[in-house]
Amino acid sequence: MSLSPSPSPSRVRVGRPAIAALGILALALGTLQSVVEPALPLLQRELGVSPAEGALVGNALLVTGAVVTPVAGKLGDRYGGRRVLVRLMAVVSAGGLLAGLAPNLPVLLLGQVLQGVMVGVLPLSFILVRKHLTAGESQVAIGVVLALFTGGSIVGTLVAGPIAERLSWHGMFLLPTIAIIASTAVVTRLMPHDPPVRSDERIDWAGVVLLSGTLLAFMLGLVTVTSAGLPPLAVGAIAVAVAALATGWVAVERRAVSPMVDLRMLAKPAMWSACVLTLVITTSAGMVLFLLPQLFAAPADGYGFGAGTTQIGLFLLPGAIAGAVSDSVGGVAARRFGSRAVVVAGTVITTGTMITLASLHSAAWQLVLAKVLTAFAAGVATTALLAGTATAVATGDTGIVTSLLVVTRVIGFALGVQISGAILAAGADPVTGLPGEPAFVTGFATAGLVAAVSLLVVRVSKKGVRA
């Protein structure tokens, strides 16, 4: 299965059936990605792990996505998006099958790592769309693909509980994987070949390894610090290790002839602000993503609701729908109002919602409404940033730019999830091991404050552009 470039075929305009095929695949991938969210409390009980350790189940997928996405985008630019996409789907399918047969946490994490390759499908889809559609049409198409990827969360949210409770949690991974295999066959048949761009540049595998090490060290460091009661010296050593890995990655990327992530793009004010805003917005959204299912599952005799996996899925469903709608709206909003205005509106909504939720979280409808508002706000803002930036650069840079934004988006969600897991683990009762209500209050307030940072970034970046 060599990926050596072949002669560029004549350009073929992407038709509706091909876009629909990409959308169906995105829907199946979104389903596989989202089954963990409502079932995470169940997985923690079944596997006997803490909230911080449970956060690793979802983050294993996100970490892989963060390091694979830039490579996938570059391979797609060089060898053709369709060709690379099909190969990545083989890896995702293997990961889904492995997770579906996992007997313990380490094997499940390995399966999630392989599934994380699915995040690389997004920039590959953008490459295909951008090569065959106009800039205006690309904005809409990107929004549609993202909407269906997010829409898969609706399906995953609904089916996770019934499958886990009537069959087993293994089935949550097996059934969506079968759908991915089938939809990949459809994409292979309908999507036209896209012309590759010949290049002798090598893949920056050193950058891939260092970024993977940095993210994993940070995630595992949070788990260790909050769960093991380490002395200050050990905590400092972990911090030094993370900083050293991050510094090494930046140094490698700056010197590499063909860097994994072209950090020179960050020198452009618009690109720098888009990345920082995406990171801040998704970190806040990731915190909400983790905190709400945990609060729904908390015992009803205290401050929680004692909800099972199916009920948690129903509580999260309106938010999943709002997220799907927001992604389709984001591309249109970016073209009409500009990404900056969309980000400000989304930030105000998210900040206000989280600060309010820190005080009012005694009724299920309050949490459901908060999920709807934050999912819509974050989805519209990040999609507007992605679509606006992707169509503002040259066609040849689309893969690099979208990969950089998608990897930032993934890192943000992963950071938010792991930070929330660390907050709950730090606030757990030493007898029951369950997080106390103050831990949730701290988590919601922190998520609101993180979101508010976006307003400062918008103001600073605006002054920078004027200067």
Side-chain angles (χ1 to χ4, degrees), residues 20-184:
L22 278 178
I24 292 172
L25 178 58
L27 185 69
L29 291 170
T31 300
L32 180 61
Q33 183 187 44
S34 64
V35 293
V36 169
E37 182 182 355
L40 192 53
L42 171 65
L43 291 173
Q44 290 170 197
R45 292 194 302 270
E46 292 286 332
L47 300 172
V49 297
S50 69
E53 293 169 326
L56 290 175
V57 176
N59 275 346
L61 184 151
L62 294 177
V63 168
T64 304
V67 298
V68 168
T69 297
V71 177
K74 185 170 295 186
L75 289 173
D77 281 332
R78 293 169 57 186
Y79 303 111
R82 177 182 177 273
R83 180 182 300 180
V84 178
L85 184 147
V86 172
R87 284 158 174 75
L88 291 186
M89 288 304 93
V91 178
V92 173
S93 299
L97 294 175
L98 185 61
L101 301 174
N104 50 42
L105 179 61
V107 178
L108 175 59
L109 290 176
L110 178 58
Q112 288 290 91
V113 166
L114 296 179
Q115 290 176 50
V117 174
M118 73 171 68
V119 183
V121 173
L122 294 178
L124 291 174
S125 299
F126 303 155
I127 290 172
L128 292 172
V129 167
R130 190 70 174 91
K131 283 183 177 179
H132 302 291
L133 295 178
T134 64
E137 292 172 329
S138 295
Q139 283 190 333
V140 177
I142 288 172
V144 169
V145 172
L146 280 173
L148 287 172
F149 182 77
T150 306
S153 65
I154 299 175
V155 179
T157 300
L158 284 175
V159 304
I163 294 175
E165 293 173 355
R166 297 180 185 180
L167 298 176
S168 73
W169 60 265
H170 299 85
M172 299 188 311
F173 300 101
L174 290 175
L175 295 181
T177 299
I178 294 173
I180 288 173
I181 294 172
S183 58
T184 300

Side-chain angles (χ1 to χ4, degrees), residues 74 201-208 210 248-264:
K74 185 170 295 186
E201 296 179 349
R202 297 181 178 181
I203 301 299
D204 179 24
W205 295 116
V208 172
L210 285 171
W249 178 69
V250 172
V252 167
E253 296 307 282
R254 293 182 63 182
R255 297 178 181 178
V257 177
S258 178
M260 169 193 175
V261 176
D262 192 350
L263 297 179
R264 291 172 298 180

Side-chain angles (χ1 to χ4, degrees), residues 55-399:
L56 290 175
V57 176
N59 275 346
L61 184 151
L62 294 177
V63 168
T64 304
V67 298
V68 168
T69 297
V71 177
K74 185 170 295 186
L75 289 173
D77 281 332
R78 293 169 57 186
Y79 303 111
R82 177 182 177 273
R83 180 182 300 180
V84 178
L85 184 147
V86 172
R87 284 158 174 75
L88 291 186
M89 288 304 93
V91 178
V92 173
S93 299
L97 294 175
L98 185 61
L101 301 174
N104 50 42
L105 179 61
V107 178
L108 175 59
L109 290 176
L110 178 58
Q112 288 290 91
V113 166
L114 296 179
Q115 290 176 50
V117 174
M118 73 171 68
V119 183
V121 173
L122 294 178
L124 291 174
S125 299
F126 303 155
I127 290 172
L128 292 172
V129 167
R130 190 70 174 91
K131 283 183 177 179
H132 302 291
L133 295 178
T134 64
E137 292 172 329
S138 295
Q139 283 190 333
V140 177
I142 288 172
V144 169
V145 172
L146 280 173
L148 287 172
F149 182 77
T150 306
S153 65
I154 299 175
V155 179
T157 300
L158 284 175
V159 304
I163 294 175
E165 293 173 355
R166 297 180 185 180
L167 298 176
S168 73
W169 60 265
H170 299 85
M172 299 188 311
F173 300 101
L174 290 175
L175 295 181
T177 299
I178 294 173
I180 288 173
I181 294 172
S183 58
T184 300
V186 176
V187 170
T188 303
R189 180 176 179 83
L190 295 181
M191 179 58 62
H193 291 282
D194 56 307
V197 178
R198 292 185 178 275
S199 175
D200 295 328
E201 296 179 349
R202 297 181 178 181
I203 301 299
D204 179 24
W205 295 116
V208 172
V209 172
L210 285 171
L211 180 58
S212 301
T214 301
L215 295 175
L216 288 174
F218 180 80
M219 305 302 175
L220 293 174
L222 281 178
V223 173
T224 304
V225 169
T226 55
S227 302
L230 297 177
L233 185 60
V235 174
I238 293 175
V240 170
V242 173
L245 287 169
T247 302
W249 178 69
V250 172
V252 167
E253 296 307 282
R254 293 182 63 182
R255 297 178 181 178
V257 177
S258 178
M260 169 193 175
V261 176
D262 192 350
L263 297 179
R264 291 172 298 180
M265 282 285 183
L266 295 178
K268 300 180 180 180
M271 193 66 204
W272 174 85
S273 62
C275 285
V276 175
L277 285 170
T278 298
L279 179 66
V280 173
I281 293 169
T282 52
T283 298
S284 176
M287 296 184 69
V288 179
L289 183 75
F290 185 81
L291 290 170
L292 291 183
Q294 300 291 327
L295 184 53
F296 280 129
D301 57 355
Y303 54 88
F305 302 90
T309 303
T310 298
Q311 192 174 7
I312 292 175
L314 293 175
F315 283 145
L316 297 178
L317 179 60
I321 295 174
V325 173
S326 71
D327 281 337
S328 61
V329 171
V332 178
R335 184 166 55 179
R336 175 168 295 186
F337 304 108
S339 59
R340 190 181 301 273
V342 176
V343 167
V344 171
T347 297
V348 172
I349 293 173
T350 302
T351 302
T353 300
M354 287 297 96
I355 298 301
T356 302
L357 194 60
S359 301
L360 301 175
H361 50 262
S362 58
W365 69 265
Q366 295 169 345
L367 275 67
V368 172
L369 179 60
K371 176 66 174 177
V372 170
L373 292 175
T374 55
F376 185 82
V380 168
T382 55
T383 303
L385 286 168
L386 181 60
T389 308
T391 54
V393 300
T395 302
D397 291 330
T398 301

